Amino acid sequence: MCARLSLSLCAVAGACVLSCQFYTACLLSEEDGECFWCLDRGMSVEVERKFVCRSDTETRLKELGAEFVGERSFHDRYFDTEQFTLTLSDTWLRCRGACWELKCPVRVREGEEEEEKGRERGGGGGGRNIKLCTRYREITELSEIVDRVRQVREGGRGRRKEREREGERGRKKEREGGWERQTDSAWLGEFALVQFASFTTVRRSYILQGGVRADLDLVDFGFTVGELEVLVETPEQIPAGAERIAELVEKLGESACNRVPGKMDAYLKQFHPEHYGRLLRAHKLHP
């Protein structure tokens, strides 16, 4: 367990700090792997990699010149259909505090998987570094979240015409007062979305040179994990971001080639093994 993180969660479980990150998201089609929302709009991509949080992790971070930027707590609730439609598309809808967020996957570019396999067969670490990272864009605008959730639910069918129709409906909603005034139950009910996960996290954050952020998380079901994150402007910058993270993982004394489970992996494995198994078989989570 991370040093200084082993505090009493009962003292902070009710103190939910709102954390709304104003990034937008890109949705990946399951049919053709094509990102059809905003791949080329220049919006930030979150490149993240988990690592084991040990008793000396904070000491090692400080030795690397990391600056402590604070501690906070937040409560997350995650939603999906009973058929796991969103998460099987690697799309994660959550309410953090009072803020809705949708995290959607981003590829580097067309042909990425083939290139990664080629680099790995050749012994290169570039493809491996990318595979060990998650890459998401995130939206927080509720009307856009509703639009994208609908697209995932419909599997990308007729997406261009549907986007045009939804865009017009969204503009009409905005003129009439918008989704923001709808109750959560109204739009969640429209898509038959139900809560499947709920937990509180205490997070200690550090900033390292080059803009890398290190988060050390203690979750209320007894799980701890570290995360390194880099924000890049375009998908083409993902490999460089992943390489920067890999270098820091090694400097922290961690294995350069091991995948570390995150909070959601641990939560689903412990509390919802059927859901966890489905995501493993679909390669959306990894053991």
Side-chain angles (χ1 to χ4, degrees):
M1 185 174 293
C2 292
R4 300 169 68 182
L5 275 177
S6 54
L7 47 89
S8 171
L9 278 170
C10 64
V12 296
C16 184
V17 178
L18 306 185
S19 172
C20 296
Q21 300 177 21
F22 293 96
Y23 310 130
T24 56
C26 150
L27 191 58
L28 197 62
S29 166
E30 287 294 298
E31 294 179 352
D32 55 16
E34 183 183 27
C35 173
F36 56 82
W37 283 108
C38 55
L39 185 63
D40 297 318
R41 295 188 187 181
M43 299 173 185
S44 296
V45 178
E46 302 173 353
V47 183
E48 303 172 348
R49 181 168 168 180
K50 306 297 189 295
F51 65 94
V52 178
C53 187
R54 307 181 190 278
S55 60
D56 65 343
T57 295
E58 292 197 75
T59 299
R60 286 178 174 268
L61 285 169
K62 292 172 184 176
E63 289 173 349
L64 293 173
E67 178 184 355
F68 178 65
V69 293
E71 178 181 296
R72 61 194 177 98
S73 69
F74 49 87
H75 185 75
D76 288 328
R77 295 180 294 136
Y78 285 81
F79 295 81
D80 202 348
T81 67
E82 292 185 352
Q83 296 75 37
F84 316 136
T85 306
L86 297 182
T87 53
L88 284 172
S89 298
D90 199 17
T91 302
W92 302 86
L93 174 65
R94 72 184 176 204
C95 185
R96 174 164 290 180
C99 301
W100 286 99
E101 302 170 345
L102 187 70
K103 295 171 71 76
C104 301
V106 178
R107 315 165 42 117
V108 177
R109 57 185 173 275
E110 194 66 30
E112 169 195 331
E113 293 183 3
E114 290 73 15
E115 291 185 17
E116 287 182 5
K117 290 176 182 176
R119 284 192 292 264
E120 289 179 351
R121 284 194 296 269
R128 181 189 63 210
N129 291 336
I130 294 172
K131 280 185 172 292
L132 290 173
C133 291
T134 59
R135 298 100 69 186
Y136 293 99
R137 280 195 172 112
E138 186 175 286
I139 55 173
T140 57
E141 183 67 37
L142 187 54
S143 60
E144 292 186 37
I145 289 174
V146 171
D147 187 19
R148 283 149 176 78
V149 168
R150 179 177 287 108
Q151 292 294 331
V152 178
R153 291 272 284 133
E154 297 182 356
R157 293 185 296 273
R159 57 181 180 261
R160 180 174 298 177
K161 290 184 179 179
E162 181 61 25
R163 275 158 50 195
E164 292 174 357
R165 289 195 296 268
E166 286 308 314
E168 179 55 36
R169 281 199 289 267
R171 286 188 289 273
K172 183 178 180 182
K173 277 277 187 184
E174 188 173 350
R175 290 193 297 269
E176 294 174 352
W179 287 100
E180 302 300 335
R181 288 208 290 266
Q182 275 209 345
T183 63
D184 291 345
S185 59
W187 73 270
L188 291 174
E190 177 183 347
F191 302 114
L193 297 172
V194 296
Q195 180 177 299
F196 70 87
S198 176
F199 47 80
T200 297
T201 301
V202 177
R203 169 170 290 178
R204 293 176 63 82
S205 297
Y206 287 82
I207 296 294
L208 292 106
Q209 188 174 8
V212 181
R213 192 179 77 191
D215 292 325
L216 310 179
D217 289 349
L218 171 64
V219 197
D220 60 0
F221 57 90
F223 183 73
T224 61
V225 68
E227 178 181 280
L228 294 171
E229 178 187 285
V230 173
L231 295 181
V232 299
E233 294 303 316
T234 67
E236 289 74 21
Q237 295 171 338
I238 289 173
E243 181 66 27
R244 207 180 331 161
I245 288 174
E247 292 172 358
L248 282 171
V249 168
E250 290 196 42
K251 290 179 180 179
L252 287 170
E254 301 296 328
S255 170
C257 57
N258 288 344
R259 187 187 299 273
V260 174
K263 298 190 292 288
M264 184 55 69
D265 304 67
Y267 183 92
L268 291 178
K269 185 176 182 180
Q270 181 173 342
F271 298 106
H272 297 289
E274 178 188 356
H275 193 172
Y276 178 71
R278 289 282 302 277
L279 293 174
L280 284 181
R281 291 191 293 274
H283 306 292
K284 303 307 177 184
L285 295 180
H286 303 273

